[in-house]
Amino acid sequence: MRLVIHAGLHKTASTYLQHVLVLNRQALRARNVYFEPDAHMLANHGTAWMTLLDNVEHVAAHIRLAARAGYDAAILSSEDFETLIFDHERARSVVQAARQAGAVEIEWHFCLRDPGDYFASLYAQLSKLAFVEYGAAFVAALRDGRVRVFRQQRRYPLYWDFCLDYETHLAAFANAVACPVHLHDFRDATPFPGHAAVAALAPGLTLALPGESSRNRRVAADAAEAGYADALAAILGPADLGDRVAGWFRARLHIPEDVDARCREALSRKYAPGMERLLQASPLGA
């Protein structure tokens, strides 16, 4: 059996791709391709979360179900697999579990977006999920080529990692997992970014496309600022910081447009050339 693991990245139309998979699930099954979202979800986020908690049984269970039903191929999709780019031991555990369950060919698929644009969209998106200090995130991205965000709810993994220096970190990942790593260009948006990850399993299949409401569009700047203000208020709680201190923290939530633009430009200058080289070299580790 052939297994495709579509691992994001975040903010590269992964949600839309997952809507496509759900909408075309029966057509894919007619082509002997298994896709089954996790309970109450459109994708395999629960499976990804469990891998970050050292439980790969959910990966194995999907493959066993597909094998017993006689499918030739399977796809797992969750942008939360992105953290595994940096966690090679857990990534190898996913590969081992899939092979033991019956997957003979295993591929990882990532869609890459201009790093500056990715950072801006990611920062806005995270305003709905966690508290992220813009300056600290930018410095980490520029220094390390990655951003780590810690959870705020107990049911999720401890943290998530997000990749911006694709050339460094994905090359190391490909070497660690010893599987082909296919890279897709976010700008290749017809019919949707990352479409080649689906086409790899069902070439020639005409996919039904969901409406525009299936796109997880970037959170507007004012909405992101409001989201972070709410998160900050929850963190500060009843602490006796005084109006001046609390006001200073809240003032830092506003990111002037020119500052944001210069930060995006700096990340693009540093990492976009490597992204272009990597796209030319895809697949890695083949």
Side-chain angles (χ1 to χ4, degrees):
M1 177 186 295
R2 181 183 180 188
L3 170 64
V4 162
I5 303 174
H6 167 249
L9 302 177
H10 286 80
K11 307 311 297 176
T12 59
S14 295
T15 298
Y16 189 84
L17 183 150
Q18 290 150 6
H19 276 277
V20 170
L21 290 173
V22 170
L23 185 61
N24 292 275
R25 184 162 48 167
Q26 295 307 316
L28 288 167
R29 290 188 170 189
R31 291 287 196 96
N32 266 328
V33 178
Y34 168 95
F35 170 71
E36 186 65 37
D38 295 343
H40 311 298
M41 298 180 183
L42 284 168
N44 302 114
H45 302 316
T47 298
W49 297 339
M50 293 308 292
T51 66
L52 301 181
L53 296 171
D54 296 316
N55 183 344
V56 293
E57 173 55 29
H58 292 250
V59 172
H62 277 290
I63 304 307
R64 285 195 296 267
L65 284 170
R68 282 201 293 265
Y71 290 103
D72 296 328
I75 183 168
L76 296 175
S77 176
S78 174
E79 54 271 36
D80 285 330
F81 282 120
E82 180 176 354
T83 298
L84 296 181
I85 293 173
F86 307 97
D87 195 332
H88 298 166
E89 183 176 351
R90 285 191 173 110
R92 284 191 290 263
S93 294
V94 168
V95 171
Q96 182 179 10
R99 284 180 175 151
Q100 290 176 345
V104 177
E105 301 176 53
I106 301 172
E107 306 168 8
W108 296 78
H109 287 247
F110 297 90
C111 188
L112 307 185
R113 182 177 185 175
D114 175 86
D117 288 343
Y118 178 37
F119 179 82
S121 189
L122 178 66
Y123 175 77
Q125 175 70 21
L126 288 171
S127 68
K128 300 192 295 184
L129 305 171
F131 184 80
V132 179
E133 203 282 315
Y134 184 95
F138 171 71
V139 169
L142 201 60
R143 181 191 62 210
D144 305 325
R146 65 192 284 188
V147 175
R148 173 167 288 185
V149 175
F150 285 86
R151 70 182 181 184
Q152 288 183 192
Q153 300 182 39
R154 293 190 178 190
R155 66 180 180 272
Y156 294 129
L158 176 62
Y159 58 82
W160 294 268
D161 284 319
F162 305 95
C163 184
L164 292 103
D165 182 358
Y166 312 132
E167 187 174 38
T168 296
H169 297 304
L170 280 171
F173 173 83
N175 184 62
V177 297
C179 298
V181 174
H182 295 260
L183 306 175
H184 309 291
D185 192 337
F186 179 73
R187 295 165 296 190
D188 180 13
T190 304
F192 54 89
H195 60 88
V198 182
L201 295 177
L205 175 64
T206 300
L207 296 166
L209 299 180
E212 287 298 307
S213 62
S214 298
R215 299 186 186 277
N216 184 17
R217 295 200 176 276
R218 181 183 300 188
V219 176
D222 56 347
E225 187 174 322
Y228 283 123
D230 290 343
L232 180 61
I235 293 169
L236 295 177
D240 186 18
L241 296 176
D243 291 341
R244 178 170 172 76
V245 174
W248 180 83
F249 276 108
R250 289 188 175 86
R252 296 185 60 167
L253 296 174
H254 177 67
I255 312 301
E257 288 186 15
D258 62 327
V259 171
D260 185 48
R262 286 177 178 269
C263 290
R264 294 199 313 268
E265 290 168 4
L267 290 169
S268 295
R269 280 197 307 272
K270 185 168 185 178
Y271 298 130
M275 180 188 79
E276 301 295 348
R277 289 190 292 268
L278 214 59
L279 288 169
Q280 292 297 317
S282 178
L284 310 178

